[in-house]
Amino acid sequence: MDLLLSPSPVEGDSAAVQQAMASGVPAIVWDGPLGHLVKTNVTGYVAKNNREFLGAVHEIASSPNKHEPMRQAAREAADAFSWDRVFERLY
């Protein structure tokens, strides 16, 4: 079971989160600059504090039936960040 954990509450926009999602890896991030990339309970979790962050890790790690749908949703969500999708929105 793979998860991307981004424990920094101040890190700017991260290619690592987008790359993980494109690979079908759910992400757990802090509510901050990375929060807009992840949808809680869909593509991973956006945590507001340490308890939520660790709770999200435990919840996904102990619930394989939650992990698989998150993997699929993360992969689909990452498609919105592809250059093709960006150009479609612009032109």
Side-chain angles (χ1 to χ4, degrees):
M1 174 180 307
D2 294 322
L3 288 173
L4 175 84
L5 306 179
S6 182
S8 174
V10 295
E11 181 174 348
D13 215 2
S14 172
V17 173
Q18 294 174 14
Q19 291 167 345
M21 291 173 63
S23 298
V25 176
I28 301 175
V29 302
W30 280 93
D31 188 15
L34 299 177
H36 73 282
L37 298 172
V38 177
K39 293 181 182 148
T40 294
N41 290 317
V42 179
T43 62
Y45 284 92
V46 178
K48 294 180 178 17
N49 56 50
N50 288 339
R51 182 174 297 239
E52 285 185 15
F53 193 91
L54 294 174
V57 173
H58 180 265
E59 184 175 338
I60 295 174
S62 63
S63 304
N65 59 333
K66 282 193 104 164
H67 187 261
E68 185 57 32
M70 281 186 178
R71 282 179 25 81
Q72 293 173 8
R75 176 66 189 100
E76 291 169 11
D79 190 43
F81 305 120
S82 74
W83 283 116
D84 291 338
R85 296 298 173 265
V86 170
F87 285 127
E88 285 174 8
R89 287 192 299 264
L90 293 174
Y91 300 104

